[in-house]
Amino acid sequence: MATTAPAHPVDEVPPVRQLAAFGLQHVLAMYAGAVAVPLIVGGAMKLSPADLAYLITADLLVCGIATLIQCVGFWRFGARLPIMQGCTFAAVSPMVLIGTTGGGLPAIYGSVIVAGLAIVLLAPVFGRLLRFFPPLVTGTVILIIGVSLLPVAGNWAAGGVGSKDFGEPRNLALAGFVLAVVLGVQRFAPAFLRRVAVLVGIAVGLAVAMPFGFTDFGGVGDADWVGISTPFHFGAPSFHASAIVSMLVVALVTMTETTGDFIAVGEMTGRPIEPRTLADGLRADGLSTVLGGVFNTFPYTAFAQNVGLVGMTRVRSRWVVAAAGGVLVVLGLLPKLGAVVAAIPAPVLGGAGLVMFGTVAASGLRTLTEVDFKGNNNLTVVAVSVAIGMLPVGVPTVYEKFPDWFQTVMNSGISAGCLTAIVLNLLFNHLPGRAGSAETGRTEPEGAPAGA
């Protein structure tokens, strides 16, 4: 009697009850980051509250669609891995500049559409670059992703950037309480609850926060029940050369960041990224970015916040994240539900974020344990790459005197650290006459291929 091979954990479909709980956990982990880009861009352009609300609902809708494309996939679109999609922060500064001085929202959307098409065309090229990502580089990049996210969790824990009570002890106490709940659930709770430790921590934190005045549900009453995003709501896109060039630079940066996120998820799920998988995933990013330009939102990329959640919960099913994408679609169509999620206090998210983002960094360290650091320069590669990657995180204004294109690349600690790691690995391990490979530290013959 023939037996069927068991499905890989990435392809397993959990029961509906678990799908809902795990999916909601992913939504809560990324919601604040998902709505931040439209809030920042819309606020800089001084949009009306109605237009700002429209931007947010459109963003949530396309976030959900983009996540479904990435996780479920069709033809050559989608990595078919548990990867959540959201607006990239790398595009914020260029979009604010375009929107305020270079043609408004129509010019932003024109450049976003062109950038999305460029990503689709360039995806196969990036797919062939995986040989430049041996464990030395991938471990370093994953470490940088995790560490660069920790200030986000810190800002949430302190009350959220711009809040009047930022840094108040009660905010940090609430974040610490949520962190303690998450750790307690992971240590002492039954197996199922351990997998939704972040969701439990957020729920308990919200229950504690409400009587102490941490949150306000007033916005729920003001929100509409139904909101439909229509193509080109703010007018037909316009195409300006300078705006397109800026967004093409952003596209290259986000493709580099996304490659690091894909590799991290591949490591965590036990399904290593292959060139075709990377190309399919990047192609999905490009399609989602085109949809963003059509449906009044912005460029899309893999969300590193949720990479940490995959590693922490060990729930590797892509259908869980697909369920989260479905929740985002519903939130985008029902603004009142979105307002309920938006009312979760920042310190509650901060306490959970400390665990999730730290998990990403720890996964990078685990990957680096595969690397030989004896008798070679691999330690230098890691040290300098992390230093360059952390520079814009620790000193956000360090590159403000440089040209815009340089700032777009280097102000992203992930892309800066990734490029540095690739270049230094080639310099120390693969140029003719250098000794010690990235993986084993053995001497390579002259002309050894990169990443061998």
Side-chain angles (χ1 to χ4, degrees):
M1 183 175 178
T3 58
T4 56
H8 191 281
V10 168
D11 298 317
E12 288 180 349
V13 182
V16 173
R17 179 173 63 93
Q18 294 183 14
L19 269 179
F22 294 152
L24 180 58
Q25 185 171 237
H26 272 281
V27 171
L28 295 179
M30 61 84 69
Y31 188 90
V35 302
V37 173
L39 282 173
I40 294 169
V41 175
M45 296 181 63
K46 297 180 171 55
L47 296 183
S48 67
D51 284 342
L52 202 55
Y54 190 93
L55 276 185
I56 292 171
T57 55
D59 174 41
L60 292 174
L61 175 65
V62 181
C63 269
I65 294 172
T67 299
L68 288 169
I69 293 172
Q70 194 66 268
C71 295
V72 178
F74 68 94
W75 191 49
R76 295 297 302 276
F77 292 86
R80 295 168 176 82
L81 287 168
I83 295 169
M84 203 82 177
Q85 298 286 106
C87 284
T88 173
F89 284 86
V92 169
S93 296
M95 288 193 301
V96 169
L97 189 63
I98 295 167
T100 54
T101 64
L105 285 173
I108 291 177
Y109 295 140
S111 63
V112 167
I113 290 171
V114 173
L117 293 173
I119 292 172
V120 172
L121 295 175
L122 290 173
V125 177
F126 259 72
R128 290 193 289 269
L129 296 180
L130 267 183
R131 65 196 188 100
F132 294 105
F133 288 86
L136 174 64
V137 174
T138 59
T140 303
V141 171
I142 296 169
L143 173 61
I144 292 170
I145 290 172
V147 177
S148 65
L149 285 171
L150 288 175
V152 176
N155 283 322
W156 287 347
V161 175
S163 62
K164 294 179 181 178
D165 61 345
F166 186 85
E168 289 286 342
R170 73 181 203 133
N171 290 336
L172 295 170
L174 177 59
F177 171 73
V178 171
L179 174 60
V181 171
V182 172
L183 295 176
V185 170
Q186 277 202 298
R187 176 63 181 86
F188 300 108
F192 172 71
L193 284 181
R194 288 202 298 270
R195 292 186 170 188
V196 290
V198 170
L199 179 61
V200 173
I202 290 175
V204 173
L206 180 60
V208 170
M210 289 172 63
F212 289 98
F214 276 94
T215 189
D216 178 15
F217 287 95
V220 177
D222 298 333
D224 295 328
W225 277 106
V226 178
I228 304 296
S229 299
T230 55
F232 307 124
H233 174 81
F234 294 100
S238 58
F239 301 92
H240 301 257
S242 59
I244 290 172
V245 170
S246 296
M247 207 55 64
L248 288 175
V249 174
V250 170
L252 293 174
V253 172
T254 57
M255 291 177 81
T256 304
E257 292 181 345
T258 298
T259 299
D261 289 330
F262 283 179
I263 291 170
V265 171
E267 294 272 348
M268 293 174 179
T269 59
R271 179 174 279 180
I273 294 295
E274 301 290 339
R276 173 167 175 159
T277 307
L278 176 58
D280 291 351
L282 292 173
R283 202 176 281 114
D285 268 12
L287 175 59
S288 301
T289 297
V290 172
L291 291 176
V294 172
F295 284 93
N296 321 290
T297 180
F298 309 114
Y300 285 85
T301 187
F303 246 39
Q305 286 94 320
N306 297 83
V307 173
L309 190 56
V310 171
M312 181 192 139
T313 62
R314 300 182 182 88
V315 176
R316 297 179 280 177
S317 172
R318 60 190 172 106
W319 298 105
V320 164
V321 181
V327 172
L328 286 174
V329 170
V330 172
L331 292 177
L333 296 174
L334 301 176
K336 196 172 286 290
L337 288 181
V340 172
V341 178
I344 297 174
V348 172
L349 297 175
L354 288 170
V355 185
M356 293 188 300
F357 305 160
T359 299
V360 178
S363 297
L365 292 175
R366 183 176 61 191
T367 301
L368 287 173
T369 61
E370 303 173 19
V371 179
D372 184 4
F373 289 99
K374 296 179 181 179
N376 53 43
N377 294 291
N378 288 340
L379 193 63
T380 300
V381 174
V382 176
V384 176
S385 301
V386 172
I388 297 297
M390 291 300 99
L391 196 56
V393 176
V395 189
T397 59
V398 66
Y399 298 122
E400 66 177 7
K401 303 297 184 183
F402 285 74
D404 291 338
W405 67 266
F406 186 90
Q407 292 186 50
T408 300
V409 175
M410 298 303 292
N411 273 339
S412 165
I414 297 172
S415 65
C418 181
L419 292 173
T420 303
I422 291 172
V423 171
L424 292 182
N425 178 50
L426 292 175
L427 174 65
F428 284 114
N429 293 314
H430 297 289
L431 285 184
R434 299 306 302 181
S437 78
E439 291 89 349
T440 64
R442 67 185 182 274
T443 300
E444 297 285 359
E446 290 196 4

